[in-house]
Amino acid sequence: MDVAEQVVEENDPNLETPFVAEMLKQLRSLDSYDTYDGWSKAKIIDPLVLTKERKQEIPVIGDPDEITLARVKAYYNAIASSIEKDCGLMAVSFINITHEGFGRALIMVGKLIVVDKTLRDIHRFGFANLDKMCDQSDKLISKAKTLIEQYSEAAND
Amino acid sequence: MDVAEQVVEENDPNLETPFVAEMLKQLRSLDSYDTYDGWSKAKIIDPLVLTKERKQEIPVIGDPDEITLARVKAYYNAIASSIEKDCGLMAVSFINITHEGFGRALIMVGKLIVVDKTLRDIHRFGFANLDKMCDQSDKLISKAKTLIEQYSEAAND
């Protein structure tokens, strides 16, 4: 459990965006011990926000722990799920992380790779604030949509 | 090291096929301890052959060990490398294996997924004989080539 003081405001308007809603759904689905029972949206999403201060507390080199890996998975699952909703085709995320916290995240639609991200410093996975999380996610989703339109036959295969 | 008696004949004609040559190259490249120094081609490839008798000696349920995982990687690297030689485009293999020996192997060319195999019982990875290995590999490679021709723009992206 994260003991740091919560930085996400309870009334942050980003909490009501479709992407954060999807992200919360994915985080809850990976919460096998029901840790989040009774938690507010802001409290659940809070550990994904890595302010400068929080970042400084994490060593530059480190192994990602289980909970960080679960957050990375939740994030790419949320991206995949958003793409799926947008284009009506199944999107599957596929993540490879080495013990040193490096790796690659793919999202596939049919035979098409619509997201391909090199992952670095996964033990410090997070976003400066919810605005940034929404912006970056929207970019990935919109780039994926463009690829699906461009290569629609491969995406539909 | 495998102590079982060698089943691949030293003069098996499959040892001279392009795929087995590629497979040997990949196996050697993952052999960081130089175990294979002075070994014949037949001896190096031998553990990939899982005869009925050898298969019976392996428990039905089991965790794949490091050396088996290395062989699976070598196999899909050899497939990727063969595709690359055939089509002149970079092919990258991407393998996800859970601790229980299930997983998925992907090979990507550009933005196209040209091989997508569900992996099961990885601790018993192997082929009945070299003929089967060559046949199955040729099928994967030729299917990949067809996809690359069909979706050449995505493959070239």
Side-chain angles (χ1 to χ4, degrees):
Chain A
M1 225 188 300
D2 294 81
V3 287
E5 208 176 322
Q6 187 174 322
V7 295
V8 177
E9 305 277 351
E10 290 294 334
N11 58 358
D12 187 317
N14 286 300
L15 290 170
E16 304 308 322
T17 60
F19 184 75
V20 173
E22 194 53 56
M23 190 66 204
L24 286 166
K25 205 169 126 186
Q26 295 294 338
L27 286 168
R28 283 185 191 279
S29 81
L30 295 171
D31 176 37
S32 22
Y33 298 108
D34 294 329
T35 315
Y36 298 150
D37 269 12
W39 286 28
S40 70
K41 295 176 185 178
K43 190 173 177 185
I44 297 175
I45 205 93
D46 188 69
L48 271 299
V49 174
L50 217 59
T51 56
K52 216 182 254 181
E53 292 70 32
R54 284 187 175 177
K55 215 167 183 172
Q56 278 167 354
E57 285 169 25
I58 308 173
V60 175
I61 294 168
D63 284 349
D65 56 10
E66 281 305 310
I67 198 156
T68 309
L69 291 178
R71 282 175 199 143
V72 176
K73 278 180 197 165
Y75 179 70
Y76 286 98
N77 284 348
I79 299 278
S81 187
S82 306
I83 293 169
E84 202 165 296
K85 274 181 192 157
D86 264 355
C87 70
L89 297 169
M90 204 173 88
V92 182
S93 77
F94 200 82
I95 292 170
N96 249 0
I97 296 174
T98 65
H99 291 295
E100 298 78 27
F102 287 78
R104 201 160 170 180
L106 299 179
I107 297 178
M108 308 178 284
V109 173
K111 297 224 177 301
L112 192 67
I113 294 152
V114 298
V115 172
D116 186 353
K117 284 278 273 184
T118 302
L119 304 174
R120 283 192 190 86
D121 301 327
I122 279 302
H123 70 295
R124 308 212 286 176
F125 181 76
F127 304 85
N129 51 53
L130 285 193
D131 264 346
K132 285 260 164 65
M133 181 196 285
C134 290
D135 277 1
Q136 291 188 28
S137 313
D138 288 351
K139 268 180 206 152
L140 285 181
I141 296 163
S142 113
K143 209 185 142 199
K145 277 169 72 177
T146 309
L147 285 170
I148 292 166
E149 280 161 26
Q150 192 176 355
Y151 305 122
S152 66
E153 284 184 36
N156 278 281
D157 193 328
Chain B
M1 227 187 299
D2 293 82
V3 288
E5 208 176 323
Q6 188 175 320
V7 296
V8 176
E9 306 278 350
E10 290 294 333
N11 58 358
D12 187 318
N14 286 302
L15 290 170
E16 304 308 320
T17 60
F19 184 74
V20 174
E22 193 55 54
M23 190 67 205
L24 286 165
K25 204 169 128 187
Q26 295 294 337
L27 285 168
R28 284 187 191 279
S29 82
L30 294 173
D31 175 37
S32 22
Y33 299 108
D34 295 328
T35 314
Y36 298 151
D37 269 12
W39 286 27
S40 70
K41 293 176 186 178
K43 189 173 177 184
I44 297 175
I45 204 93
D46 189 69
L48 271 300
V49 174
L50 218 60
T51 57
K52 216 181 251 180
E53 293 69 33
R54 283 186 175 176
K55 213 165 184 173
Q56 276 168 355
E57 284 170 24
I58 308 172
V60 175
I61 294 169
D63 283 351
D65 56 11
E66 281 305 311
I67 197 156
T68 309
L69 292 179
R71 283 174 198 144
V72 176
K73 277 180 198 164
Y75 179 71
Y76 285 99
N77 284 348
I79 299 279
S81 187
S82 306
I83 293 168
E84 203 165 295
K85 273 181 193 158
D86 264 356
C87 71
L89 296 169
M90 203 173 88
V92 182
S93 77
F94 200 82
I95 292 171
N96 248 359
I97 295 174
T98 64
H99 291 295
E100 297 80 25
F102 287 78
R104 203 161 170 180
L106 298 180
I107 297 178
M108 307 178 284
V109 174
K111 295 221 178 306
L112 193 65
I113 293 151
V114 297
V115 172
D116 186 353
K117 285 277 275 185
T118 303
L119 304 173
R120 284 192 189 86
D121 301 326
I122 279 302
H123 69 294
R124 309 212 286 175
F125 180 75
F127 304 86
N129 50 54
L130 285 194
D131 264 346
K132 286 260 164 65
M133 182 197 282
C134 290
D135 277 1
Q136 290 187 31
S137 312
D138 288 350
K139 267 181 206 153
L140 285 181
I141 296 163
S142 112
K143 211 186 140 195
K145 277 170 72 179
T146 309
L147 285 169
I148 292 166
E149 282 161 26
Q150 192 176 356
Y151 305 122
S152 65
E153 283 184 36
N156 278 281
D157 194 326

